[in-house]
């Protein structure tokens, strides 16, 4: 259950990163389509909401939120590292 | 938000952060390690590493057997079962009522030794501890681990410092915590693009990169940073008040003294497995301690950790079960749950800070969040220097900036080196040395002082690199030193499932890697700096005039 929460959370953060032009370019190495941004953002927040639910179900009302926030720290960091890492291959990262 | 408000907040953020930032970093580092303080203490007593803990039932049986032999006349016995965090069995007993020439006196030396060690530990601060005696789970022999302050020293340092009274230490830490809280709040206001730059880290952009790292470390773990500083303030305020728990114990002792002495119950008649099964059924957490009242013939079981945020967070476990010593019936269930909303809030905030409810997985996540805090403070400190250095490239270095640079080096790189020294001292100072716990602490502070002197004597960049390399080297060699001086070798620790020793060694290697990378990063930065001046970690104008 906790593993599910972490994966869904990772998907959520990754989608949120993709909803930003800068990170889309870093991660996908191509220009984003203008219509995709809102969809990515919506899907990202939806995934995060689902992961909150999964966390609460797995660890309860007291420890669920602690788990969610504690793992969010690591998962968001991984997305940041991924984006910064992938940006290097691109001559004009910005 | 108007630019003026943001600017004022930036000013507040910079100064609140800098002035107490050096101490803040030390508090964050030692506090983060304190999430593993029992594990660190265990690592620092390699005499315990050889014994594998067994099943709780088997361990409790052996401990009772030992106590029957060691302290047949004691009024009270206590057994601390091995746990995930402290995998050793220990026993203690209250021998006040025993006859002087009884069998207990044969072990009086062991008891006296344990009591002396505890008295020294208690003098260093913190809650009074019960002096226990470690028992080898395999043979039942009494083990004498080396005397060390272990992780407790780092834990105590993070809220009451050292070389000063407990009260003034806590006052100072309280002030730092308050400054931290202000720095965090004003930092949120100052951060212009908290959502837009959420995942952004721009490499090799000098000041920009430092700011990105600072922001990421601050924002990702922001709930943790807010929680840990706010609850820290609350805990410091609370600990200055007298403990209610201690008073309760004193009352209980008074009651016992009034009781007429009766026959002491034999431990062997206790239906142990029934009792442990009942406890397992009642609680979702393992049993931590068994306390025998041998005159009333009862045994009290305490939980190993809390399974609710509303239980008493510190100073003893939140759940207790009292059993009859003869037939094992459950006499009383005591749950120290908060009574009202205010108490619940108060306890939950404290419990979140202490994190004693956390299992090992969550404990590691707490540790990572703590590291995030140390990175946030360290990058903030460096930024302060980098920013000001960037503004003046030519003229004389103001004495204030030079001083800030020295303090940065000693506080950040120097502290890591000093902690490595503390662990080295633990393995190198012979086990039987009198007062060796204090000696380890002294060596820690001597190493730390030397790093400040070194930073004052050398050019900033050179000082950074040298201290990071030496500190990294000490951490990298620590697992080898540990093995050479009688503890487990990392692969064999993994093979035998001793995750505390394996985890400690792995973190040492990781710390070493990070410190080497930082050193290389600074060296590369300064090389590039010679060509294009695009990335100064420290501006070259800060170098003392030659």
């Amino acid at each position: 259950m906790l593993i599910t929460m972490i994966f869904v959370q990772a998907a959520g953060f990754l989608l949120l990163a993709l909803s930003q032009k800068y990170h889309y370019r870093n991660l996908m190495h191509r220009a984003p389509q203008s219509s995709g941004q809102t969809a990515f953002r919506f899907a990202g927040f939806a995934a995060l909401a689902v992961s909150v639910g999964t966390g609460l179900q797995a660890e309860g009302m007291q420890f669920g939120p602690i788990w969610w926030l504690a793992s969010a720290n690591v998962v968001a960091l991984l997305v940041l590292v991924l984006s910064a890492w992938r940006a290097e291959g691109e001559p004009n990262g910005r | 938000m108007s630019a003026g408000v943001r600017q004022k907040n930036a000013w507040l953020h910079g100064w609140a952060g800098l002035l107490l930032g050096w101490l803040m970093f030390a508090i964050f580092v030692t506090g983060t390690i304190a999430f593993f303080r029992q594990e660190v203490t265990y690592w620092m007593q390699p005499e315990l590493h050889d014994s594998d803990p067994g099943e709780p039932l088997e361990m409790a049986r052996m401990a009772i057997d030992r106590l029957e032999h060691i302290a047949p006349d004691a009024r009270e016995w206590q057994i601390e079962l091995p746990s995930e965090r402290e995998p050793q069995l220990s026993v203690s007993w209250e021998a006040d009522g025993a006859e002087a020439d009884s069998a207990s006196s044969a072990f009086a030396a062991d008891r006296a030794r344990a009591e002396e060690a505890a008295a020294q530990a208690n003098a260093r601060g913190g809650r009074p501890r019960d002096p226990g005696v470690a028992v080898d789970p395999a043979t039942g022999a009494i083990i004498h681990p080396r005397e060390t302050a272990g992780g407790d020293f780092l834990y105590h340092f993070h809220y009451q410092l050292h070389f000063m009274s407990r009260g003034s230490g806590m006052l100072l830490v309280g002030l730092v915590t308050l400054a931290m809280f202000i720095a965090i709040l004003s930092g949120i206001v100052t951060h212009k693009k908290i959502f837009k730059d959420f995942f952004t880290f721009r490499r090799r952009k000098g000041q920009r990169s430092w700011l990105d790292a600072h922001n990421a470390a601050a924002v990702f773990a922001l709930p943790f940073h807010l929680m840990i500083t706010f609850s820290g303030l609350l805990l410091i305020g609370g600990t200055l008040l007298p403990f209610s728990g201690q008073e309760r114990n004193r009352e209980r002792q008074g009651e016992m003294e009034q009781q007429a002495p009766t026959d002491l119950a034999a431990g062997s008649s206790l239906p142990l497995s029934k009792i442990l099964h009942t406890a397992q059924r009642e609680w979702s957490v393992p049993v931590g301690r068994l306390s025998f009242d041998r005159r009333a013939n009862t045994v009290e079981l305490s939980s190993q950790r809390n399974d609710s945020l509303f239980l008493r967070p510190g100073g003893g476990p939140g759940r207790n079960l009292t059993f009859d010593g003869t037939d094992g019936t459950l006499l009383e269930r005591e749950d120290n749950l908060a009574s009202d909303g205010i108490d619940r809030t108060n306890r939950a905030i404290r419990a979140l800070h202490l994190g004693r409810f956390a299992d090992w997985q969550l404990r590691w996540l707490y540790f990572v969040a703590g590291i995030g805090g140390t990175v946030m403070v360290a990058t903030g400190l460096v930024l302060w220097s980098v920013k000001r250095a960037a503004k003046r490239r030519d003229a004389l270095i103001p004495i204030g900036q030079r001083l800030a640079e020295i303090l940065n080096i000693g506080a950040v790189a120097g502290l890591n080196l000093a902690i490595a020294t503390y662990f080295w001292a633990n393995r190198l100072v012979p086990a039987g040395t009198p007062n060796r716990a204090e000696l380890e602490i002294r060596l820690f502070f001597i190493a730390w002082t030397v790093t400040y002197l070194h930073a004052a004597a050398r050019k900033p960049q050179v000082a950074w690199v040298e201290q990071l390399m030496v500190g990294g080297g000490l951490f990298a060699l620590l697992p080898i030193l540990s093995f050479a001086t009688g503890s487990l070798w990392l692969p064999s620790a993994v093979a035998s499932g001793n995750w505390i020793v394996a985890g400690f060694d792995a973190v040492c290697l990781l710390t070493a890697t990070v410190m080497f990378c930082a050193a290389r990063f600074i060296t590369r930065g300064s090389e590039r700096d010679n060509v294009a001046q695009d990335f100064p970690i420290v501006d070259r104008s800060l170098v003392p005039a030659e």
Side-chain angles (χ1 to χ4, degrees):
Chain A
M1 275 306 267
L2 267 177
I3 301 291
T4 317
M5 178 199 83
I6 292 169
F7 274 106
V8 177
Q9 192 181 46
F13 278 127
L14 204 55
L15 286 165
L16 284 184
L18 285 173
S19 79
Q20 294 179 320
K21 278 183 191 150
Y22 172 64
H23 292 292
Y24 188 96
R25 260 193 226 108
N26 280 353
L27 292 164
M28 309 300 283
H29 289 185
R30 59 184 152 88
Q33 288 172 327
S34 55
S35 59
Q37 309 294 298
T38 328
F40 277 131
R41 183 169 304 160
F42 180 79
F45 278 117
L48 288 184
V50 170
S51 74
V52 170
T54 325
L56 290 180
Q57 213 179 352
E59 293 292 317
M61 292 305 283
Q62 280 188 25
F63 300 111
I66 302 174
W67 262 102
W68 194 89
L69 290 171
S71 96
N73 178 32
V74 178
V75 168
L77 181 69
L78 289 179
V79 174
L80 173 136
V81 169
L82 190 68
S83 173
W85 189 283
R86 297 269 299 168
E88 239 203 341
E90 217 33 15
N92 297 316
R94 194 73 238 215
Chain B
M1 194 173 311
S2 79
V5 172
R6 188 165 280 139
Q7 232 159 43
K8 284 198 185 88
N9 266 286
W11 179 88
L12 183 64
H13 181 78
W15 285 101
L18 181 82
L19 285 181
L20 296 161
W22 297 298
L23 211 43
M24 213 179 272
F25 182 79
I27 293 166
F28 247 106
V29 170
T30 51
T32 301
I33 301 174
F35 284 132
F36 285 117
R37 84 168 147 135
Q38 288 169 355
E39 289 85 345
V40 169
T41 308
Y42 173 79
W43 184 89
M44 290 175 84
Q45 296 187 319
E47 292 81 2
L48 303 171
H49 296 182
D50 292 328
S51 45
D52 271 329
E55 290 300 304
L57 179 61
E58 186 193 322
M59 291 295 96
R61 281 230 171 89
M62 165 177 288
I64 290 172
D65 191 51
R66 294 306 297 161
L67 282 164
E68 291 273 19
H69 182 60
I70 296 170
D73 307 336
R75 290 185 315 204
E76 286 174 53
W77 289 345
Q78 278 204 351
I79 301 170
E80 201 79 50
L81 290 176
S83 70
E84 205 173 70
R85 303 189 58 198
E86 272 181 305
Q88 84 261 12
L89 177 64
S90 68
V91 297
S92 62
W93 59 92
E94 181 68 63
D96 280 356
E99 300 291 324
D101 58 347
S102 71
S104 309
S105 53
F107 292 92
D110 287 325
R111 178 69 181 171
R113 221 183 118 128
E115 267 169 7
E116 195 196 336
Q120 279 173 13
N122 292 340
R124 275 193 295 271
R127 273 170 222 277
R129 284 198 314 187
D130 187 83
V133 173
V135 174
D136 188 326
T139 62
I142 289 175
I143 318 174
H144 296 295
R146 65 187 58 191
E147 187 208 326
T148 180
D152 290 355
F153 161 63
L154 299 168
Y155 168 72
H156 290 146
F157 181 85
H158 108 277
Y159 70 88
Q160 62 190 28
L161 308 177
H162 205 78
F163 295 127
M164 63 180 83
S165 78
R166 188 178 150 81
S168 24
M170 288 211 295
L171 191 66
L172 198 53
V173 172
L175 282 174
V176 172
T177 315
L178 190 63
M180 178 79 175
F181 198 58
I182 293 170
I184 291 176
L185 293 180
S186 56
I188 299 171
V189 178
T190 309
H191 194 358
K192 272 179 251 173
K193 300 169 181 168
I194 201 158
F195 293 111
K196 192 160 172 288
D197 279 353
F198 198 78
F199 299 111
T200 304
F201 180 72
R202 279 153 289 200
R203 301 174 62 172
R204 299 192 183 146
K205 294 264 199 264
Q207 197 179 316
R208 186 74 243 177
S209 301
W210 285 104
L211 190 59
D212 281 345
H214 183 65
N215 288 345
V219 174
F220 291 162
L222 187 61
F224 174 83
H225 301 325
L226 283 171
M227 174 280 283
I228 212 81
T229 39
F230 182 73
S231 56
L233 277 175
L234 204 71
L235 277 160
I236 290 248
T239 15
L240 289 170
L241 302 167
F243 299 127
S244 48
Q246 272 183 351
E247 280 163 31
R248 206 181 74 118
N249 281 343
R250 229 175 284 131
E251 272 168 35
R252 258 181 56 182
Q253 254 177 17
E255 275 168 36
M256 277 187 192
E257 243 100 62
Q258 284 159 14
Q259 274 176 11
T262 48
D263 289 339
L264 297 174
S268 47
S269 61
L270 184 76
L272 250 183
S273 89
K274 181 185 172 187
I275 287 178
L276 288 174
H277 270 112
T278 314
Q280 215 116 75
R281 210 176 47 235
E282 295 278 324
W283 298 333
S284 56
V285 282
V287 177
R289 183 189 301 136
L290 293 89
S291 313
F292 295 79
D293 183 342
R294 300 184 67 220
R295 290 196 292 198
N297 192 18
T298 58
V299 52
E300 187 188 59
L301 270 59
S302 311
S303 54
Q304 214 175 74
R305 54 183 163 82
N306 286 346
D307 55 358
S308 161
L309 293 177
F310 305 140
L311 286 164
R312 189 171 56 205
R319 296 194 196 277
N320 298 302
L321 295 170
T322 309
F323 294 92
D324 185 279
T326 318
D327 56 10
T329 43
L330 181 58
L331 298 177
E332 194 196 338
R333 179 182 173 139
E334 185 194 8
D335 294 319
N336 292 299
L337 279 163
S339 48
D340 52 39
I342 293 174
D343 203 16
R344 265 207 287 273
T345 315
N346 184 14
R347 281 186 180 186
I349 292 170
R350 283 156 193 257
L352 281 172
H353 187 107
L354 301 170
R356 289 187 187 147
F357 56 82
D359 52 17
W360 67 268
Q361 295 96 327
L362 190 54
R363 191 165 292 280
W364 277 104
L365 291 180
Y366 253 81
F367 185 74
V368 173
I371 301 276
T374 63
V375 170
M376 170 179 74
V377 179
T379 48
L381 285 172
V382 172
L383 258 175
W384 197 93
S385 291
V386 171
K387 246 177 164 168
R388 274 152 192 81
K391 278 185 195 151
R392 42 174 76 237
R393 299 195 154 261
D394 43 336
L396 281 164
I397 330 106
I399 185 96
Q401 270 181 38
R402 172 78 184 130
L403 194 65
E405 192 55 56
I406 293 168
L407 290 171
N408 274 356
I409 298 168
V412 178
L415 176 63
N416 284 311
L417 199 157
I419 290 173
T421 311
Y422 180 60
F423 295 143
W424 269 71
N426 175 259
R427 288 297 193 261
L428 289 180
V429 176
T433 312
N435 216 7
R436 77 181 292 293
E438 195 55 40
L439 188 60
E440 284 176 6
I441 295 173
R442 285 283 151 80
L443 286 167
F444 166 84
F445 283 110
I446 289 170
W448 204 7
T449 312
V450 168
T451 63
Y452 284 103
L453 298 177
H454 172 259
R458 304 286 273 172
K459 296 174 183 177
Q461 259 150 353
V462 179
W464 273 111
V465 171
E466 284 176 349
Q467 292 195 15
L468 287 168
M469 291 300 283
V470 172
L474 288 176
F475 272 116
L477 295 174
L478 197 53
I480 297 168
L481 173 77
S482 171
F483 173 59
T485 52
S487 179
L488 294 170
W489 164 242
L490 180 56
S492 59
V494 172
S496 64
N498 194 329
W499 297 113
I500 298 182
V501 172
F504 189 102
D505 285 0
V507 170
C508 283
L509 294 179
L510 201 65
T511 310
T513 312
V514 171
M515 288 174 82
F516 288 144
C517 286
R520 219 188 105 200
F521 177 68
I522 292 168
T523 317
R524 270 207 324 222
S526 69
E527 274 163 14
R528 221 186 357 252
D529 198 26
N530 286 338
V531 187
Q533 291 235 338
D534 73 327
F535 166 64
I537 177 181
V538 175
D539 193 83
R540 294 169 76 237
S541 64
L542 280 181
V543 174
E546 282 164 275

